[in-house]
Every structure is written in C-alpha cells, then in structure tokens.
Amino acid sequence: VLKVPHHGKNRDRAVNFLFKAARPKLAVITCANFRGTRLASNEWFKRFEVPIYATNKNGAITFVTDGYSYKVETMLNCL
C-alpha cells in the first residue's frame, strides 16, 4: 500500500519515483474537494495499473488484515 504524497498532485516527480520504487498493489490519496486544487486525474494514475483510493471519492478508507492478507473497506464507492 502506498500513501501518495502531496494529495496526489498532478505529475509530481515524487509520486513517479515512489510508484516505481515501491511497486505497490494499491495506493491511497488523502484529499478534499477543493476548487482550484490541481490534483492528479484518474487517467494519470491509470498508467500505474493499481487500484487508487482517494478520500474525496471513497470517504474513509480502512485496511483490515489478519497479518497475511488484507481487504479494503470504504464508506463510499470505489474509483
């Protein structure tokens, strides 16, 4: 699981580096629906080929694990 820095800011170099270095199975972005904020688009993240969960779209995001596997629970629909 990768917690994306900078609210998933569009085309952030750190995000590119982290995805390549960590090779996560899914990513989480914490952000709000602010007008004028330049967040990354869903299309931009699709190139990483992992599920993306964002608090502005999914609400609260919870990871439940037994130490071997995990599941993701969200308050709202998934992206």
Side-chain angles (χ1 to χ4, degrees), residues 27-40:
V28 175
I29 303 169
T30 56
C31 55
N33 283 329
F34 295 122
R35 287 190 170 175
T37 302
R38 296 186 50 88
L39 300 176

Side-chain angles (χ1 to χ4, degrees), residues 8-34:
K9 187 176 176 184
N10 205 5
R11 292 179 288 281
D12 190 313
R13 288 183 194 174
V15 173
N16 282 324
F17 172 78
L18 288 172
F19 269 96
K20 289 177 183 176
R23 292 186 241 161
K25 297 210 185 317
L26 63 91
V28 175
I29 303 169
T30 56
C31 55
N33 283 329
F34 295 122

Side-chain angles (χ1 to χ4, degrees), residues 19-71:
F19 269 96
K20 289 177 183 176
R23 292 186 241 161
K25 297 210 185 317
L26 63 91
V28 175
I29 303 169
T30 56
C31 55
N33 283 329
F34 295 122
R35 287 190 170 175
T37 302
R38 296 186 50 88
L39 300 176
S41 66
N42 288 344
E43 292 74 30
W44 188 76
F45 277 111
K46 283 181 184 176
R47 67 191 176 116
F48 297 114
E49 299 178 354
V50 299
I52 305 289
Y53 294 89
T55 55
N56 67 329
K57 302 283 186 190
N58 302 108
I61 302 164
T62 305
F63 298 91
V64 180
T65 182
D66 60 5
Y68 298 99
S69 62
Y70 67 90
K71 67 178 181 174

